[in-house]
Amino acid sequence: MGSTCVVGLQWGDEAKGKIVDLLCDQHEVVVRYQGGANAGHTVVHEGTTYKLSLIPTGILRAGVECVIGNGVVIHPPSLLSEIQRLSSQGVDFHGRLLISDRAHVILPYHMSEERLSEESASAADHIGTTRRGIGPCYRDKVGRVHGVRVADLFHPEEFRERLARIIDFKNRLLQSMLPDFEALDPKLVTEEYLGHAESLRPYVRDTTTWLQKAIAGKKRLLFEGAQGSLLDIDHGSYPYVTSSNSSAAGVGPGSGVPTRFVDRWIGVVKAYTTRVGGGPFPTEQENETGERIRRVGREYGTVTGRPRRCGWFDAVAVRYSAGVSGSTELAVMLLDVLSGIEELNVAVAYELDGRRVESLPASLTDLARCRPIYETVQGWTEDITSVREWADLPAAARDYVTFIARQVGVPASIVSVGPDRRQTIQIPAGIRPSA
Ligand code: GDP
Ligand code: IMO
Ligand code: MG
């Protein structure tokens, strides 16, 4: 035992990367189990900023082994350039990165398919994706006929023949639907991907078996969620979600590790809420408050640079996602961003057609009509970025974290007051604010 899962409980960018980095010294292996290069996880340490996309955050810590599990979708050129970028920042990959041979591969036509669905559908139907080919690749995985896995890249004869058939199909489809689509040359794509396979060969493994052996050898695993539980394909605000199980529900299927081996389930939340892309957001503040949070929290997408939508903490949504992700503790991030706001609102329920609703409705139409019912908590004016102990936070800041934890029904164990690894408060078990 001793394994941990870290997931976001909102719509992504909750600062999961910082928490994973922080916990690396208690784990031997970090595992990504879903998503792909749509993720952007930031770690700041002693003035240097590292950005991770497909590669587990553990790569920044010497000696930690990192697994890209079977549930991840891999775009080989993006992965190779990320390896190169991090290597140039001094990160040593030697023998520490393992890529599942069961992971699915993103091919160039996936980007065109995404362009098709994002640009030619009516504006009301756009998801506002990161355009990394994630959805189309998962669609092919589930559809089975056109799915390509990493293992396939190491059988050149069969791969050449099969990819030629797939590209013929995709060319015909895309040419009929996208006027400016230029047919892909199957030979060029095949040879390009066979070249990528050679570059990736040292890392490719049966990670499922490797992870099972790691558990048998008493290694502690740290599962690093990407996106957030409200973007989960099954449990999120569908269809404005990503195409994988980005809640903790994805751990088993995406890694081959039964979840009974995990005993710590950390739900990461911002002290407020952000969202990138389309979809309902009941507590969104399209006003001075939202702008202030965006400015102070530097809320711009790590992957796409898009301004993030900002709003108050939504305890209804987080209560629901903490349930789905089985959170046993909360990490409350970016608390410093709220310093100086006189009164802080937290949505404790919604009002829908005159009724009080305490759980997240499935229907998008209903969710869009929900009006948050707020409770107001007093803010604080002090700069808290250098506080390191729970007891040293202003009383109002402690009350705010306590209010959130009680509303969600999960104890808070970590509070973050700045991007740096050191700007973190660990709350001792005996005094954790809880339900
Ligand atoms: P992730 O995708 O969940 O890993 O989160 P991102 O890296 O996309 O976004 C979180 C941003 O907040 C990053 O720029 C972090 O450096 C930054 N950050 C993390 N924790 C804190 C904090 O406590 N305070 C502030 N001000 N910034 C933080
Ligand atoms: P991290 O791991 C925030 C959002 C996109 C879009 C939707 C679907 O950094 O928290 P996709 O490209 O996945 O098909 O887009 O999901 N999205 C994210 N939002 N953080 C992320 O990752 C995200 N990854 C995808 O903006 O709304
Ligand atoms: Mg991010």
Side-chain angles (χ1 to χ4, degrees), residues 318-341:
V318 175
R319 209 180 288 141
Y320 165 83
S321 58
V324 167
S325 283
S327 306
T328 54
E329 49 192 289
L330 289 183
V332 180
M333 314 301 287
L334 295 108
L335 189 66
D336 54 298
V337 174
L338 298 183
S339 296
I341 301 180

PDB file of all heavy atoms in Angstrom, residues 318-341:
ATOM      1  N   VAL A 318     -18.312  20.495  -6.542  1.00  0.00           N
ATOM      2  CA  VAL A 318     -17.171  19.783  -5.944  1.00  0.00           C
ATOM      3  C   VAL A 318     -17.645  18.653  -5.018  1.00  0.00           C
ATOM      4  O   VAL A 318     -17.019  17.599  -4.965  1.00  0.00           O
ATOM      5  CB  VAL A 318     -16.204  20.758  -5.228  1.00  0.00           C
ATOM      6  CG1 VAL A 318     -15.091  20.005  -4.516  1.00  0.00           C
ATOM      7  CG2 VAL A 318     -15.609  21.737  -6.233  1.00  0.00           C
ATOM      8  N   ARG A 319     -18.763  18.853  -4.342  1.00  0.00           N
ATOM      9  CA  ARG A 319     -19.339  17.777  -3.518  1.00  0.00           C
ATOM     10  C   ARG A 319     -19.610  16.558  -4.406  1.00  0.00           C
ATOM     11  O   ARG A 319     -19.276  15.424  -4.079  1.00  0.00           O
ATOM     12  CB  ARG A 319     -20.662  18.279  -2.953  1.00  0.00           C
ATOM     13  CG  ARG A 319     -21.074  17.705  -1.639  1.00  0.00           C
ATOM     14  CD  ARG A 319     -22.414  18.328  -1.223  1.00  0.00           C
ATOM     15  NE  ARG A 319     -22.324  19.722  -0.814  1.00  0.00           N
ATOM     16  CZ  ARG A 319     -23.245  20.660  -1.107  1.00  0.00           C
ATOM     17  NH1 ARG A 319     -24.316  20.368  -1.814  1.00  0.00           N
ATOM     18  NH2 ARG A 319     -23.094  21.900  -0.692  1.00  0.00           N
ATOM     19  N   TYR A 320     -20.169  16.851  -5.567  1.00  0.00           N
ATOM     20  CA  TYR A 320     -20.489  15.787  -6.525  1.00  0.00           C
ATOM     21  C   TYR A 320     -19.204  15.118  -7.032  1.00  0.00           C
ATOM     22  O   TYR A 320     -19.082  13.883  -7.017  1.00  0.00           O
ATOM     23  CB  TYR A 320     -21.280  16.401  -7.684  1.00  0.00           C
ATOM     24  CG  TYR A 320     -21.386  15.535  -8.913  1.00  0.00           C
ATOM     25  CD1 TYR A 320     -22.360  14.545  -9.008  1.00  0.00           C
ATOM     26  CD2 TYR A 320     -20.504  15.712  -9.979  1.00  0.00           C
ATOM     27  CE1 TYR A 320     -22.455  13.744 -10.137  1.00  0.00           C
ATOM     28  CE2 TYR A 320     -20.588  14.917 -11.113  1.00  0.00           C
ATOM     29  CZ  TYR A 320     -21.558  13.939 -11.184  1.00  0.00           C
ATOM     30  OH  TYR A 320     -21.635  13.144 -12.298  1.00  0.00           O
ATOM     31  N   SER A 321     -18.215  15.917  -7.433  1.00  0.00           N
ATOM     32  CA  SER A 321     -17.020  15.311  -8.035  1.00  0.00           C
ATOM     33  C   SER A 321     -16.142  14.634  -6.982  1.00  0.00           C
ATOM     34  O   SER A 321     -15.478  13.640  -7.268  1.00  0.00           O
ATOM     35  CB  SER A 321     -16.232  16.335  -8.847  1.00  0.00           C
ATOM     36  OG  SER A 321     -15.863  17.415  -8.053  1.00  0.00           O
ATOM     37  N   ALA A 322     -16.173  15.130  -5.741  1.00  0.00           N
ATOM     38  CA  ALA A 322     -15.420  14.456  -4.670  1.00  0.00           C
ATOM     39  C   ALA A 322     -16.024  13.072  -4.426  1.00  0.00           C
ATOM     40  O   ALA A 322     -15.305  12.116  -4.123  1.00  0.00           O
ATOM     41  CB  ALA A 322     -15.451  15.282  -3.390  1.00  0.00           C
ATOM     42  N   GLY A 323     -17.326  12.969  -4.586  1.00  0.00           N
ATOM     43  CA  GLY A 323     -17.988  11.669  -4.456  1.00  0.00           C
ATOM     44  C   GLY A 323     -17.555  10.727  -5.566  1.00  0.00           C
ATOM     45  O   GLY A 323     -17.157   9.575  -5.321  1.00  0.00           O
ATOM     46  N   VAL A 324     -17.573  11.217  -6.788  1.00  0.00           N
ATOM     47  CA  VAL A 324     -17.192  10.395  -7.942  1.00  0.00           C
ATOM     48  C   VAL A 324     -15.729   9.951  -7.824  1.00  0.00           C
ATOM     49  O   VAL A 324     -15.385   8.812  -8.142  1.00  0.00           O
ATOM     50  CB  VAL A 324     -17.405  11.198  -9.260  1.00  0.00           C
ATOM     51  CG1 VAL A 324     -16.737  10.519 -10.435  1.00  0.00           C
ATOM     52  CG2 VAL A 324     -18.892  11.407  -9.526  1.00  0.00           C
ATOM     53  N   SER A 325     -14.877  10.847  -7.357  1.00  0.00           N
ATOM     54  CA  SER A 325     -13.448  10.535  -7.271  1.00  0.00           C
ATOM     55  C   SER A 325     -13.053   9.945  -5.922  1.00  0.00           C
ATOM     56  O   SER A 325     -11.882   9.669  -5.678  1.00  0.00           O
ATOM     57  CB  SER A 325     -12.603  11.779  -7.575  1.00  0.00           C
ATOM     58  OG  SER A 325     -12.584  12.001  -8.970  1.00  0.00           O
ATOM     59  N   GLY A 326     -14.017   9.743  -5.037  1.00  0.00           N
ATOM     60  CA  GLY A 326     -13.739   9.092  -3.751  1.00  0.00           C
ATOM     61  C   GLY A 326     -12.702   9.823  -2.924  1.00  0.00           C
ATOM     62  O   GLY A 326     -11.891   9.185  -2.228  1.00  0.00           O
ATOM     63  N   SER A 327     -12.727  11.151  -2.970  1.00  0.00           N
ATOM     64  CA  SER A 327     -11.670  11.930  -2.300  1.00  0.00           C
ATOM     65  C   SER A 327     -11.661  11.692  -0.794  1.00  0.00           C
ATOM     66  O   SER A 327     -12.703  11.759  -0.138  1.00  0.00           O
ATOM     67  CB  SER A 327     -11.853  13.425  -2.580  1.00  0.00           C
ATOM     68  OG  SER A 327     -11.928  13.652  -3.965  1.00  0.00           O
ATOM     69  N   THR A 328     -10.470  11.433  -0.262  1.00  0.00           N
ATOM     70  CA  THR A 328     -10.322  11.264   1.184  1.00  0.00           C
ATOM     71  C   THR A 328      -9.721  12.524   1.812  1.00  0.00           C
ATOM     72  O   THR A 328      -9.711  12.670   3.020  1.00  0.00           O
ATOM     73  CB  THR A 328      -9.421  10.057   1.510  1.00  0.00           C
ATOM     74  OG1 THR A 328      -8.169  10.223   0.814  1.00  0.00           O
ATOM     75  CG2 THR A 328     -10.069   8.748   1.080  1.00  0.00           C
ATOM     76  N   GLU A 329      -9.168  13.405   0.976  1.00  0.00           N
ATOM     77  CA  GLU A 329      -8.650  14.677   1.475  1.00  0.00           C
ATOM     78  C   GLU A 329      -8.650  15.710   0.351  1.00  0.00           C
ATOM     79  O   GLU A 329      -8.644  15.355  -0.826  1.00  0.00           O
ATOM     80  CB  GLU A 329      -7.240  14.523   2.067  1.00  0.00           C
ATOM     81  CG  GLU A 329      -6.281  13.775   1.193  1.00  0.00           C
ATOM     82  CD  GLU A 329      -4.989  13.381   1.920  1.00  0.00           C
ATOM     83  OE1 GLU A 329      -4.194  14.277   2.205  1.00  0.00           O
ATOM     84  OE2 GLU A 329      -4.783  12.180   2.171  1.00  0.00           O
ATOM     85  N   LEU A 330      -8.672  16.978   0.754  1.00  0.00           N
ATOM     86  CA  LEU A 330      -8.677  18.066  -0.228  1.00  0.00           C
ATOM     87  C   LEU A 330      -7.371  18.848  -0.158  1.00  0.00           C
ATOM     88  O   LEU A 330      -6.856  19.099   0.932  1.00  0.00           O
ATOM     89  CB  LEU A 330      -9.784  19.083   0.079  1.00  0.00           C
ATOM     90  CG  LEU A 330     -11.254  18.737  -0.127  1.00  0.00           C
ATOM     91  CD1 LEU A 330     -12.097  19.979   0.185  1.00  0.00           C
ATOM     92  CD2 LEU A 330     -11.518  18.252  -1.548  1.00  0.00           C
ATOM     93  N   ALA A 331      -6.857  19.231  -1.321  1.00  0.00           N
ATOM     94  CA  ALA A 331      -5.771  20.211  -1.386  1.00  0.00           C
ATOM     95  C   ALA A 331      -6.397  21.489  -1.931  1.00  0.00           C
ATOM     96  O   ALA A 331      -6.931  21.487  -3.046  1.00  0.00           O
ATOM     97  CB  ALA A 331      -4.657  19.715  -2.291  1.00  0.00           C
ATOM     98  N   VAL A 332      -6.382  22.545  -1.140  1.00  0.00           N
ATOM     99  CA  VAL A 332      -7.020  23.811  -1.547  1.00  0.00           C
ATOM    100  C   VAL A 332      -5.929  24.755  -2.056  1.00  0.00           C
ATOM    101  O   VAL A 332      -5.060  25.189  -1.292  1.00  0.00           O
ATOM    102  CB  VAL A 332      -7.793  24.443  -0.371  1.00  0.00           C
ATOM    103  CG1 VAL A 332      -8.452  25.752  -0.811  1.00  0.00           C
ATOM    104  CG2 VAL A 332      -8.839  23.460   0.169  1.00  0.00           C
ATOM    105  N   MET A 333      -5.969  25.037  -3.351  1.00  0.00           N
ATOM    106  CA  MET A 333      -4.876  25.730  -4.026  1.00  0.00           C
ATOM    107  C   MET A 333      -5.210  27.207  -4.306  1.00  0.00           C
ATOM    108  O   MET A 333      -6.371  27.592  -4.340  1.00  0.00           O
ATOM    109  CB  MET A 333      -4.570  25.036  -5.350  1.00  0.00           C
ATOM    110  CG  MET A 333      -4.470  23.517  -5.260  1.00  0.00           C
ATOM    111  SD  MET A 333      -3.218  22.930  -4.118  1.00  0.00           S
ATOM    112  CE  MET A 333      -1.720  23.296  -5.031  1.00  0.00           C
ATOM    113  N   LEU A 334      -4.174  27.982  -4.547  1.00  0.00           N
ATOM    114  CA  LEU A 334      -4.281  29.380  -4.972  1.00  0.00           C
ATOM    115  C   LEU A 334      -5.085  30.246  -4.008  1.00  0.00           C
ATOM    116  O   LEU A 334      -5.748  31.204  -4.403  1.00  0.00           O
ATOM    117  CB  LEU A 334      -4.857  29.477  -6.403  1.00  0.00           C
ATOM    118  CG  LEU A 334      -3.960  28.879  -7.498  1.00  0.00           C
ATOM    119  CD1 LEU A 334      -4.523  27.585  -8.028  1.00  0.00           C
ATOM    120  CD2 LEU A 334      -3.739  29.853  -8.630  1.00  0.00           C
ATOM    121  N   LEU A 335      -5.005  29.901  -2.716  1.00  0.00           N
ATOM    122  CA  LEU A 335      -5.744  30.671  -1.707  1.00  0.00           C
ATOM    123  C   LEU A 335      -5.285  32.130  -1.712  1.00  0.00           C
ATOM    124  O   LEU A 335      -6.072  33.043  -1.488  1.00  0.00           O
ATOM    125  CB  LEU A 335      -5.537  30.039  -0.321  1.00  0.00           C
ATOM    126  CG  LEU A 335      -6.410  30.605   0.796  1.00  0.00           C
ATOM    127  CD1 LEU A 335      -7.886  30.305   0.563  1.00  0.00           C
ATOM    128  CD2 LEU A 335      -5.986  30.048   2.162  1.00  0.00           C
ATOM    129  N   ASP A 336      -3.984  32.347  -1.993  1.00  0.00           N
ATOM    130  CA  ASP A 336      -3.421  33.707  -1.996  1.00  0.00           C
ATOM    131  C   ASP A 336      -4.115  34.629  -2.993  1.00  0.00           C
ATOM    132  O   ASP A 336      -4.147  35.842  -2.808  1.00  0.00           O
ATOM    133  CB  ASP A 336      -1.919  33.638  -2.334  1.00  0.00           C
ATOM    134  CG  ASP A 336      -1.653  32.875  -3.632  1.00  0.00           C
ATOM    135  OD1 ASP A 336      -1.979  31.670  -3.678  1.00  0.00           O
ATOM    136  OD2 ASP A 336      -1.144  33.477  -4.596  1.00  0.00           O
ATOM    137  N   VAL A 337      -4.678  34.037  -4.060  1.00  0.00           N
ATOM    138  CA  VAL A 337      -5.300  34.854  -5.112  1.00  0.00           C
ATOM    139  C   VAL A 337      -6.519  35.604  -4.560  1.00  0.00           C
ATOM    140  O   VAL A 337      -6.881  36.676  -5.055  1.00  0.00           O
ATOM    141  CB  VAL A 337      -5.677  33.956  -6.321  1.00  0.00           C
ATOM    142  CG1 VAL A 337      -6.448  34.725  -7.374  1.00  0.00           C
ATOM    143  CG2 VAL A 337      -4.422  33.332  -6.919  1.00  0.00           C
ATOM    144  N   LEU A 338      -7.125  35.072  -3.508  1.00  0.00           N
ATOM    145  CA  LEU A 338      -8.338  35.688  -2.964  1.00  0.00           C
ATOM    146  C   LEU A 338      -8.041  36.785  -1.931  1.00  0.00           C
ATOM    147  O   LEU A 338      -8.969  37.486  -1.513  1.00  0.00           O
ATOM    148  CB  LEU A 338      -9.239  34.614  -2.338  1.00  0.00           C
ATOM    149  CG  LEU A 338      -9.758  33.530  -3.308  1.00  0.00           C
ATOM    150  CD1 LEU A 338     -10.687  32.565  -2.577  1.00  0.00           C
ATOM    151  CD2 LEU A 338     -10.484  34.156  -4.499  1.00  0.00           C
ATOM    152  N   SER A 339      -6.762  36.937  -1.540  1.00  0.00           N
ATOM    153  CA  SER A 339      -6.424  37.978  -0.554  1.00  0.00           C
ATOM    154  C   SER A 339      -6.890  39.336  -1.063  1.00  0.00           C
ATOM    155  O   SER A 339      -6.665  39.684  -2.224  1.00  0.00           O
ATOM    156  CB  SER A 339      -4.911  38.026  -0.328  1.00  0.00           C
ATOM    157  OG  SER A 339      -4.473  36.824   0.243  1.00  0.00           O
ATOM    158  N   GLY A 340      -7.527  40.088  -0.181  1.00  0.00           N
ATOM    159  CA  GLY A 340      -7.933  41.448  -0.555  1.00  0.00           C
ATOM    160  C   GLY A 340      -9.357  41.546  -1.087  1.00  0.00           C
ATOM    161  O   GLY A 340      -9.857  42.644  -1.314  1.00  0.00           O
ATOM    162  N   ILE A 341     -10.004  40.418  -1.294  1.00  0.00           N
ATOM    163  CA  ILE A 341     -11.424  40.478  -1.707  1.00  0.00           C
ATOM    164  C   ILE A 341     -12.247  40.509  -0.411  1.00  0.00           C
ATOM    165  O   ILE A 341     -12.115  39.630   0.439  1.00  0.00           O
ATOM    166  CB  ILE A 341     -11.822  39.279  -2.602  1.00  0.00           C
ATOM    167  CG1 ILE A 341     -10.953  39.252  -3.867  1.00  0.00           C
ATOM    168  CG2 ILE A 341     -13.309  39.337  -2.955  1.00  0.00           C
ATOM    169  CD1 ILE A 341     -11.254  38.113  -4.832  1.00  0.00           C
TER     170      ILE A 341
END
